[in-house]
């Protein structure tokens, strides 16, 4: 009769390539054998690259503290809350912070990745020290823990021996093979075959996470990701394993980081041969107008279409990210990484509209006066004088960091916008040699995005004001453009003087596009013509897009497909 077994923590790899597993001594009467899983000597690391605010940040350990700094060297600056209780206390803490404190805490120049985030979600059969070495503590457990655990538990276990002694596919891979195309938002799929699983099973898939300073330019983060990939490959090669390629799984902003990393990788032609493939989730491929809205007006709150629970979450996000432009501008306007989430030069234009509503025969008549950008979107971002400007430089430096500097705060903002423009137009864009431009993607790329009719996102920004019943001045596109900003409400509405006698209150209308509550469909679907396959499942919320089981099944499906091209 076969003796029973019990699993023990997975082995670690020693510097000489030997595998080391630990267990505890038991009495001789205890007849259960320890069972340890040994992986292949051929390794394809899988690396998660999170979205904005999904990486833990701390003040640099070697930071030279200034007298007005809020953080001490090494002190956590940003650790996203996990769960309702943590979310409540974190929201309360940030709601009480002034714009000056926000600027001094979320200052890209003093921050680095914090590797000591929560690991309470980690599987018990894996040594926590190994998970920290693999970067799991660098990313938000609440957003990415479910996926990391799923990959850790399932990637290295493909087949098993049945009680009859036959090889059989494990049940969690059968679920991948039996998934229906409709659940992934497509009409048809090429299902994973047993032959494909046989090839897939010839490799080991250690799971890593890569945190980055999301306030810095995505280019800097991409170069650090490139370094991390090289370090991971070196780790396994030095330990007598074959490791020539990695697979990247990205979320939101992490997709921009990964694309830039592939573009910057040797040999420099975009092929990035040591990246076997990339899977993008909820990537703002062409940018997201909500970024303009949050800088210009503050973070939007709940929606009347949401339930109480979702609106409580939205309220917490508003408190943390900043309710007003005075809260958001000091952080976002000076952060290249944030500005790289703005609609880029390939986003469908125009997307910023200025309108009025007037009553005609007891019906509302909407009049369009301006549709922007009417040139480069980066010129629109650099405009800091018009009443519809995105950035008010007077709000950008409450901590007075630029007061004694040779450079003004406007210089700092302009530099950050220039970084965004270069990142979009040079690093993530290819020229076809005929003055045409196409976006760059790794040649083995898959992606999925939200396109739900009920999960609205800002596809356009619409400033709208109601005209008085009797207008003292004729409105024209020119008079609207030349309007003078008189005041801004706490909710972001703008009182604008038109000519001498007319004052209108312009507010941003609610979200208008299908999407995932953050990225509109026109941006999420942007890669479709340039990648292997795009998926558009229903009901996909942006922040939670890697958590549903259907999406985790899809990611495993795509990893198998990517491996088929590995030589």
């Amino acid at each position: 009769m076969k003796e029973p077994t019990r699993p023990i923590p997975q082995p670690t790899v020693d510097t000489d390539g030997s595998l080391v597993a630990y267990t505890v001594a038991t009495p001789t009467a205890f007849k259960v054998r320890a069972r340890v899983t040994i992986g292949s000597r051929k390794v394809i690391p899988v690396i998660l690259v999170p979205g904005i605010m999904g990486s833990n940040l701390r003040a640099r350990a070697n930071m030279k503290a200034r007298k007005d700094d809020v953080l001490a060297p090494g002190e956590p600056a940003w650790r996203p809350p996990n769960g309702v209780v943590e979310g409540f206390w974190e929201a309360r803490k940030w709601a009480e912070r002034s714009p000056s404190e926000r600027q001094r805490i979320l200052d890209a120049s003093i921050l680095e990745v914090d590797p000591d985030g929560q690991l309470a979600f980690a599987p018990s059969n894996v040594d926590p020290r190994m998970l920290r070495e693999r970067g799991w503590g660098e990313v938000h457990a609440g957003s990415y823990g479910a996926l990391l655990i799923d990959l850790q538990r399932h990637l290295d276990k493909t087949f098993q021996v049945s009680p009859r002694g036959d090889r059989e596919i494990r049940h969690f891979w059968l679920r991948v093979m039996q998934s229906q195309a409709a659940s992934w938002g497509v009409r048809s799929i090429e299902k994973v075959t047993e032959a494909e699983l046989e090839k897939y099973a010839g490799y080991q898939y250690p799971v890593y996470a890569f945190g980055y300073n999301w306030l810095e330019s995505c280019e800097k983060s991409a170069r650090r990701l490139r370094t991390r990939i090289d370090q991971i490959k070196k780790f396994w090669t030095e330990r007598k394993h074959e490791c020539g390629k990695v697979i990247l799984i990205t979320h939101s902003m992490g997709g921009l980081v990964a694309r830039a990393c592939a573009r910057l990788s040797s040999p420099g032609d975009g092929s990035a041969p040591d990246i076997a493939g990339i899977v993008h989730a909820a990537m703002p491929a062409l940018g997201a107008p909500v970024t303009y809205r949050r800088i210009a007006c503050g973070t939007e709150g709940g929606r009347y279409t949401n339930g109480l629970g979702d609106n409580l979450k939205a309220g917490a996000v508003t408190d943390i990210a900043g309710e007003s432009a005075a809260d958001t501008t000091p952080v976002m306007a000076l952060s290249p990484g944030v500005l790289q989430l703005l609609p880029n030069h390939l986003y469908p234009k125009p997307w910023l509209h200025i309108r009025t509503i007037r009553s005609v025969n007891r019906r509302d008549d909407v009049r369009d006066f301006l549709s922007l950008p009417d040139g480069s979107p980066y010129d629109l971002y650099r405009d800091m004088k018009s009443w519809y400007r995105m950035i008010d430089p007077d709000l950008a430096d409450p901590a007075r960091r630029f007061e004694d500097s040779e450079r003004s705060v406007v210089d700092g903002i302009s530099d950050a916008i220039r970084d965004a423009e270069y990142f979009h137009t040079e690093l993530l864009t290819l020229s076809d040699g005929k003055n045409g431009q196409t976006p760059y993607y790794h040649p083995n790329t898959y992606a999925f995005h939200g396109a739900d009719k009920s999960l609205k996102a800002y596809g356009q920004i619409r400033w709208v004001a109601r005209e008085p019943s009797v207008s003292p001045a004729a409105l024209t596109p020119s008079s609207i453009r030349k309007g003078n900003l008189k005041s801004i409400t706490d909710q972001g509405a703008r009182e604008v003087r038109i000519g001498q006698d007319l004052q209108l209150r312009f507010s941003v209308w609610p979200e208008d596009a299908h999407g995932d509550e953050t990225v509109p469909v026109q941006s999420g679907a942007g890669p479709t013509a340039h990648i292997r396959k795009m998926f558009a499942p229903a009901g996909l919320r942006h922040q939670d897009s890697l958590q549903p089981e259907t999406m985790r099944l899809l990611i495993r499906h795509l990893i198998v497909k990517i491996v088929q091209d590995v030589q």
Side-chain angles (χ1 to χ4, degrees), residues 226-237:
R226 181 63 259 173
T227 299
R228 180 73 64 86
I229 291 171
D230 292 339
Q231 291 170 342
I232 292 171
K233 289 168 52 185
K234 181 181 179 183
F235 173 91
W236 288 101
T237 302

Side-chain angles (χ1 to χ4, degrees), residues 475-533:
L475 293 175
T476 66
S478 178
S479 66
I480 292 284
R481 190 186 288 269
K482 294 177 181 178
N484 292 313
L485 180 63
K486 307 306 292 185
S487 64
I488 301 177
T489 69
D490 290 341
Q491 290 72 41
R494 299 185 177 186
E495 297 283 351
V496 180
R497 177 66 59 85
I498 309 295
Q500 296 297 319
D501 303 312
L502 178 61
Q503 187 157 309
L504 299 177
R505 172 176 287 195
F506 285 90
S507 301
V508 173
W509 268 3
E511 298 92 327
D512 63 297
H514 301 167
D516 62 11
E517 297 182 328
T518 300
V519 177
V521 66
Q522 51 264 58
S523 183
T528 303
H530 311 285
I531 64 175
R532 292 283 182 93
K533 194 170 184 66

Side-chain angles (χ1 to χ4, degrees), residues 169-403:
I169 301 170
R170 291 180 181 266
H171 69 92
F172 43 79
W173 283 106
L174 288 174
R175 295 197 62 199
V176 172
M177 300 169 75
Q178 295 164 359
S179 292
Q180 299 302 306
S183 69
W184 294 339
V186 292
R187 292 183 178 180
S188 63
I189 52 173
E190 293 184 4
K191 291 183 178 290
V192 167
T193 66
E194 186 166 349
E196 288 176 327
L197 283 179
E198 286 179 352
K199 178 171 182 176
Y200 167 87
Y203 298 88
Q204 178 186 170
Y205 302 91
V207 180
Y208 290 80
F210 170 75
Y212 58 92
N213 184 348
W214 36 269
L215 294 162
E216 288 185 325
S217 171
C218 290
E219 179 182 359
K220 288 187 177 180
S221 299
R223 294 185 184 279
R224 292 193 176 101
L225 175 57
R226 181 63 259 173
T227 299
R228 180 73 64 86
I229 291 171
D230 292 339
Q231 291 170 342
I232 292 171
K233 289 168 52 185
K234 181 181 179 183
F235 173 91
W236 288 101
T237 302
E238 288 180 342
R239 286 158 177 78
K240 311 286 192 298
H241 285 67
E242 179 185 323
C243 182
K245 296 180 183 289
V246 303
I247 294 172
L248 304 181
I249 310 296
T250 80
H251 176 240
S252 191
M253 178 196 250
L256 306 183
V257 172
R259 287 169 60 195
C261 174
R263 181 78 191 278
L264 292 167
S265 295
S266 179
D269 59 1
S271 61
D274 69 345
I275 298 176
I278 304 179
V279 179
H280 295 301
M283 176 173 55
L286 306 180
V290 71
T291 310
Y292 169 100
R293 196 261 185 229
R294 290 178 178 176
I295 299 174
C297 306
T299 307
E300 70 281 10
R303 302 167 176 83
Y304 72 91
T305 55
N306 284 349
L308 176 61
D310 288 331
N311 277 334
L312 288 175
K313 290 180 182 178
V317 170
T318 299
D319 288 336
I320 293 170
E323 184 177 14
S324 69
D327 294 325
T328 59
T329 300
V331 175
M332 299 177 75
L334 289 161
S335 301
V338 175
L339 299 181
Q340 286 160 1
L341 296 177
L342 285 163
N344 65 24
H345 60 301
L346 299 177
Y347 192 93
K349 293 190 293 187
W351 54 264
L352 178 64
H353 303 276
I354 299 174
R355 299 169 173 169
T356 65
I357 301 175
R358 62 179 178 176
S359 181
V360 177
N361 297 326
R362 297 183 180 180
R363 292 184 178 181
D364 283 343
D365 176 46
V366 178
R367 297 206 288 172
D368 284 301
F369 284 97
L370 291 176
S371 295
L372 304 169
D374 47 12
S376 166
Y378 309 100
D379 290 338
L380 174 66
Y381 307 144
R382 279 187 276 263
D383 170 20
M384 293 178 237
K385 295 182 179 180
S386 68
W387 70 261
Y388 49 83
R389 64 194 174 195
M390 178 179 70
I391 297 173
D392 179 353
D394 291 340
L395 299 178
D397 190 26
R400 301 189 177 186
R401 291 297 197 214
F402 289 85
E403 195 171 62

Side-chain angles (χ1 to χ4, degrees), residues 6 21 39 67 93 146 239 427 519 561 566:
R6 58 185 174 87
K67 63 180 180 180
K93 179 171 66 177
R239 286 158 177 78
L427 202 52
V519 177
K561 294 296 183 181
V566 173

Side-chain angles (χ1 to χ4, degrees), residues 3-56:
E3 293 180 326
T5 62
R6 58 185 174 87
I8 63 173
Q10 291 185 354
T12 58
V13 184
D14 214 339
T15 53
D16 63 357
S18 59
L19 304 179
V20 181
Y22 296 92
T23 186
V24 295
T26 59
T28 55
F30 188 68
K31 299 299 184 182
V32 178
R33 290 175 178 265
R35 184 180 75 246
V36 63
T37 301
I38 298 176
S40 167
R41 287 278 170 173
K42 296 193 293 183
V43 180
I44 302 178
V46 175
I47 307 172
L48 170 71
V49 188
I52 188 171
M53 302 179 79
S55 301
N56 302 315

